[in-house]
Amino acid sequence: MARAHERPVYAYRRVADQDTGRPVYHPVVIVGAGPVGLTAALDCAVHGLPHVLLDAEDTVCEGSKAICFAKRSLEIFDRLGCGERLVSKGVVWNLGRVFFGGRQIYAFNLAPEAGHQRPAFINLQQYYLEECLIERLGELGGTDLRWRNTVTGVEPCADGVGLTVDTPDGAYRMRCDYLIVADGARSPIRHLLGLPCRGQVFQDRFLIADVVMQADFPTERWFWFKPPFHTGQSTLLHRQADNVWRIDFQLDRDADPDEEKRPERVIARIKAMLGEQVRFDLDWVSVYTFQCRRMERFQHAGRIFFVGDAAHQVSPFGARGANGGIQDVDNLIWKLALVMAGKAPAALLESYDAERIPAADENILNSTRSTEFITPKSEASRAFRDATLMLAEHYPFARRLVNSGRLSVPAMLRGSPLNTPDTETFDSPLGPGAPCADAPIQTATGEDWLLRQLGNLFTGVYFAAAHGRVSARSVEIIRTLAGGTIPVTVRVVGERLSGKGPDGCGIVDVAGLVRRRYGGSPGTFYLIRPDQHVCARWRQLELEPVRHALLRALGQTQRHSEQIA
Amino acid sequence: MKPSRLNVEPQLAHPDDFYQALLELHQGLTDEESRLANAKLILLLANHIGDQAVLDEALRIAREGLGEGSASAVERSGSAVPSVIWAAPLRRVTKERT
């Protein structure tokens, strides 16, 4: 097989920890350098948390694996400083086509409304994502990345977690305050701790191939139900970077995976699909099955956090695996940073489960429904599926029932204990828990995007009056918030740049989209978490409600709050 | 607003005409085609009704007297079984969490 991509080898290095006879202490240890573990390391680096990242291998993944990265993931990578290079390497697509048999039954456009920096999705091979994140870790510095370090023992105790790590030079021991487990769907650490992961196991097999070709197919997602060129139930074609195309063939349930992976057989399948005249090279082939399941809790013994596939798994339809895991990390690390800095109680960490378990359930629900539609399991299920597809060609109502994957959207965190509920009505869906919406803006340094002004710390967005002036009282509140134990940096949004509030933190709402998306009548104030989710919002800026909301977002009990206030 | 209810009072002006038309829909169709025709009909009507509460009630009534956990029913519906098994533990887990 021709290789579209040479996997870099990251050298194993012996570290001083291996020569000290006793376990060496590290504040945070992350296990697994896949997309989610690498994102966790990046987020720790951004928050200044000292951390060690261990990986059992010494390279990036083989084959394209997770290929669709959603807008929310790109926004998180922007916060971590590498969104732009992912987008420029990746392939942007908005149009999806759905075929039934030999006919296109409809097309859909995922293009978000105008005025967002990032597209709905990019397609990028997982190995490129991993390489990019590793490169970014190197730029930020501070990550102690140890390849060919396999965790073989985990002992949680009251004041930390003990680890036994095997290397080519033998085993050594470490201990840490917090362990972040990102070791994938089979999670050796989950097994070491004897923690169950329950849900539905699917029998369906999919053949997955990366193909290199110079083809003039457009950059679109093509999904076939009952394709004429393939006896299985479905086929998916996706373009990736560097003229690599990803094809997923659903196999018959009794297919022999080893037989199906033989290159001659795969090539014959692809020729039947693309036509005899199309020249291509087969780059990578695999056969996968999947499960839709999760752990009962993602926080274990107070100090161990499961993230990504280690905590929950979904079917691939909807790109909810890696994108869900990246949101886990986005949710966890700022909390860990505040707790470790002594600025929030350990109770804040419990909100990781409260927020990410419902998010995982939503992903599991959606990906399970897609699986039911794509791989019907009974005659009745198949009849409804086919009837839906037959109607969809001519009757638009049925298109909304067609489910070839409900694509990843960010969790709304609606029921989160960290939210302070609205007490006023807003003409905006960005209620407490929602991830902030982007909008084009201008700052003193030029054209920019709103989301780039938010995140990593608590921030506020204050909507100035139309004339642009901010009252002395509001300026005072904004100053007080900026100087608190937990500083809140407030951005003042107005129509012009001159005279916009204190300290040059003004934002010009060049297209009026900030005001429209946030329902920002003059005086409106949004309090925003370090992960860019909304904590609370008000029609008027008053200090006390903001303080209370901030304490609530820090996981403080009412009594704690009173003591601190 | 009062939640809408499924209307189970007689509505059809000419019930025999409708019943005949329903059977004629299936004339000359194989069993598989009949299943498809029924499925299309249900989808069209469900969309026309467009009210989840009404549809839920119809779904409940449609299930009355059928299935009831008999082994043969489970076998007939093939691997619809795992999703039932799966849904139950998930609900249980959710409950334990709260």
Side-chain angles (χ1 to χ4, degrees):
Chain A
M1 271 187 250
R3 291 260 83 128
H5 171 255
E6 282 301 324
R7 293 201 289 167
V9 174
Y10 302 104
Y12 159 76
R13 283 176 296 105
R14 190 178 175 89
V15 293
D17 291 7
Q18 290 166 264
D19 299 317
T20 12
R22 54 192 171 68
V24 175
Y25 163 77
H26 295 278
V28 177
V29 173
I30 303 159
V31 181
V36 177
L38 287 166
T39 305
L42 267 179
D43 217 348
C44 283
V46 162
H47 281 98
L49 281 184
H51 60 287
V52 178
L53 173 57
L54 307 175
D55 193 85
E57 314 265 329
D58 61 359
T59 183
V60 294
C61 70
E62 187 186 8
S64 54
K65 293 184 79 177
I67 62 164
C68 292
F69 295 94
K71 181 167 180 287
R72 180 66 197 142
S73 296
L74 298 173
E75 290 164 356
I76 293 166
F77 289 127
D78 277 330
R79 185 173 63 71
L80 302 174
C82 56
E84 189 57 41
R85 70 188 89 160
L86 291 169
V87 173
S88 57
K89 179 73 185 171
V91 168
V92 175
W93 63 276
N94 287 314
L95 202 69
R97 294 184 192 279
V98 178
F99 300 86
F100 182 41
R103 299 156 69 89
Q104 176 182 321
I105 51 170
Y106 72 100
F108 59 89
N109 195 335
L110 286 180
E113 51 182 358
H116 294 259
Q117 186 185 13
R118 295 307 175 201
F121 277 92
I122 62 163
N123 281 3
L124 183 66
Q125 296 91 313
Q126 183 176 323
Y127 46 76
Y128 282 140
L129 177 95
E130 291 179 7
E131 284 176 29
C132 175
L133 300 186
I134 292 166
E135 181 184 279
R136 180 65 185 148
L137 281 176
E139 289 168 9
L140 288 176
T143 298
D144 184 345
L145 179 44
R146 301 181 185 179
W147 302 100
R148 296 181 73 188
N149 274 239
T150 309
V151 175
T152 55
V154 179
E155 301 108 57
C157 52
D159 62 346
V161 183
L163 294 172
T164 309
V165 182
D166 200 23
T167 72
D169 289 329
Y172 70 101
R173 291 169 52 80
M174 310 164 77
R175 60 190 180 85
C176 60
D177 289 331
Y178 293 99
L179 178 68
I180 298 175
V181 183
D183 58 354
R186 293 189 185 92
S187 185
I189 292 184
R190 198 179 62 225
H191 288 289
L192 282 173
L193 292 168
L195 298 170
C197 192
R198 294 204 182 91
Q200 187 173 3
V201 178
F202 288 88
Q203 307 299 324
D204 308 282
R205 283 181 200 283
F206 286 78
L207 175 76
I208 178 174
D210 282 347
V211 164
V212 187
M213 62 177 172
Q214 305 286 339
D216 51 3
F217 295 110
T219 306
E220 297 172 352
R221 176 192 200 257
W222 287 13
F223 194 103
W224 284 264
F225 292 98
K226 283 194 184 169
F229 48 79
H230 170 58
T231 55
Q233 279 302 309
S234 69
T235 300
L236 177 64
L237 175 69
H238 250 311
R239 184 181 202 153
Q240 310 176 77
D242 297 348
N243 294 312
V244 175
W245 299 73
R246 161 79 161 266
I247 308 171
D248 290 34
F249 293 106
Q250 185 187 344
L251 298 174
D252 296 325
R253 290 186 136 210
D254 50 4
D256 171 2
D258 291 323
E259 174 65 15
E260 293 299 340
K261 272 194 281 193
R262 280 177 37 231
E264 315 80 273
R265 206 166 157 95
V266 178
I267 287 167
R269 278 200 195 284
I270 296 171
K271 283 194 164 159
M273 174 182 178
L274 301 174
E276 284 291 330
Q277 75 289 353
V278 176
R279 296 175 58 87
F280 63 87
D281 287 309
L282 195 55
D283 180 51
W284 172 69
V285 177
S286 182
V287 171
Y288 68 86
T289 58
F290 51 81
Q291 311 187 334
C292 290
R293 56 178 197 167
R294 69 163 167 87
M295 296 175 73
E296 222 158 284
R297 287 163 196 276
F298 304 158
Q299 182 187 20
H300 177 71
R303 294 179 174 272
I304 303 178
F305 294 91
F306 288 83
V307 293
D309 280 359
H312 44 72
Q313 293 134 47
V314 292
S315 83
F317 314 114
R320 288 168 179 268
N323 289 304
I326 290 161
Q327 288 179 52
D328 287 345
V329 166
D330 184 48
N331 187 282
L332 176 63
I333 304 298
W334 68 269
K335 297 174 181 173
L336 212 48
L338 285 167
V339 170
M340 293 180 75
K343 291 182 171 176
L348 176 60
L349 299 174
E350 290 164 19
S351 69
Y352 174 65
D353 268 358
E355 295 186 332
R356 292 311 297 170
I357 287 176
D361 284 345
E362 186 181 315
N363 287 330
I364 287 171
L365 177 68
N366 278 288
S367 87
T368 303
R369 285 175 170 176
S370 302
T371 307
E372 293 291 340
F373 194 90
I374 292 165
T375 66
K377 304 291 190 289
S378 66
E379 283 186 1
S381 170
R382 181 177 306 276
F384 278 116
R385 200 279 302 268
D386 289 352
T388 301
L389 293 167
M390 289 169 87
L391 289 169
E393 187 176 356
H394 302 292
Y395 304 97
F397 86 88
R399 290 173 198 166
R400 297 185 55 187
L401 296 169
V402 174
N403 190 341
S404 69
R406 297 282 181 239
L407 290 159
S408 174
V409 288
M412 299 304 281
L413 310 182
R414 275 198 194 86
S416 168
L418 306 187
N419 294 346
T420 296
D422 283 345
T423 50
E424 297 149 300
T425 52
F426 285 82
D427 185 20
S428 159
L430 299 175
C436 286
D438 206 0
I441 57 159
Q442 198 180 353
T443 68
T445 52
E447 289 186 354
D448 212 330
W449 295 92
L450 179 64
L451 286 184
R452 290 163 52 87
Q453 316 302 314
L454 312 173
N456 292 332
L457 296 167
F458 279 92
T459 47
V461 172
Y462 177 71
F463 289 85
H467 52 64
R469 277 193 299 278
V470 179
S471 72
R473 188 165 171 275
S474 295
V475 169
E476 187 53 36
I477 294 174
I478 289 170
R479 287 223 173 95
T480 308
L481 287 171
T485 330
I486 306 291
V488 179
T489 310
V490 177
R491 307 291 180 184
V492 177
V493 176
E495 285 168 28
R496 293 179 301 274
L497 200 56
S498 57
K500 291 298 177 300
D503 311 329
C505 54
I507 285 174
V508 184
D509 187 10
V510 281
L513 285 173
V514 184
R515 214 176 34 208
R516 195 189 308 161
R517 287 179 183 156
Y518 288 75
S521 56
T524 297
F525 183 77
Y526 275 72
L527 179 64
I528 294 156
R529 306 176 2 167
D531 59 5
Q532 300 176 333
H533 282 259
V534 175
C535 286
R537 53 183 180 172
W538 301 269
R539 286 271 175 224
Q540 293 297 325
L541 176 56
E542 300 286 346
L543 187 58
E544 279 315 299
V546 179
R547 272 187 170 157
H548 275 103
L550 183 60
L551 290 171
R552 189 159 175 169
L554 293 169
Q556 305 272 17
T557 62
Q558 195 60 38
R559 211 154 60 99
H560 275 132
S561 311
E562 280 160 13
Q563 280 166 359
I564 291 169
Chain B
M1 211 177 78
K2 240 173 59 179
S4 32
R5 300 283 315 260
L6 179 73
N7 189 345
V8 288
E9 297 305 315
Q11 291 292 301
L12 299 165
H14 304 288
D16 292 346
D17 289 352
F18 164 71
Y19 200 83
Q20 184 185 343
L22 189 60
L23 294 190
E24 278 169 3
L25 166 67
H26 292 277
Q27 236 163 47
L29 298 185
T30 63
D31 284 354
E32 194 189 338
E33 287 168 335
S34 273
R35 263 198 299 277
L36 282 169
N38 278 336
K40 284 161 94 172
L41 186 64
I42 291 166
L43 294 170
L44 284 161
L45 297 176
N47 181 65
H48 180 84
I49 292 165
D51 181 327
Q52 188 70 40
V54 171
L55 294 172
D56 284 343
E57 201 179 342
L59 287 167
R60 185 183 55 73
I61 295 172
R63 178 81 194 203
E64 277 175 6
L66 302 173
E68 246 100 43
S70 76
S72 61
V74 167
E75 269 164 30
R76 269 202 308 276
S77 64
S79 37
V81 184
S83 65
V84 175
I85 292 172
W86 173 78
L90 187 70
R91 263 199 297 279
R92 186 174 54 75
V93 167
T94 314
K95 208 183 207 168
E96 279 170 8
R97 189 158 40 81
T98 51

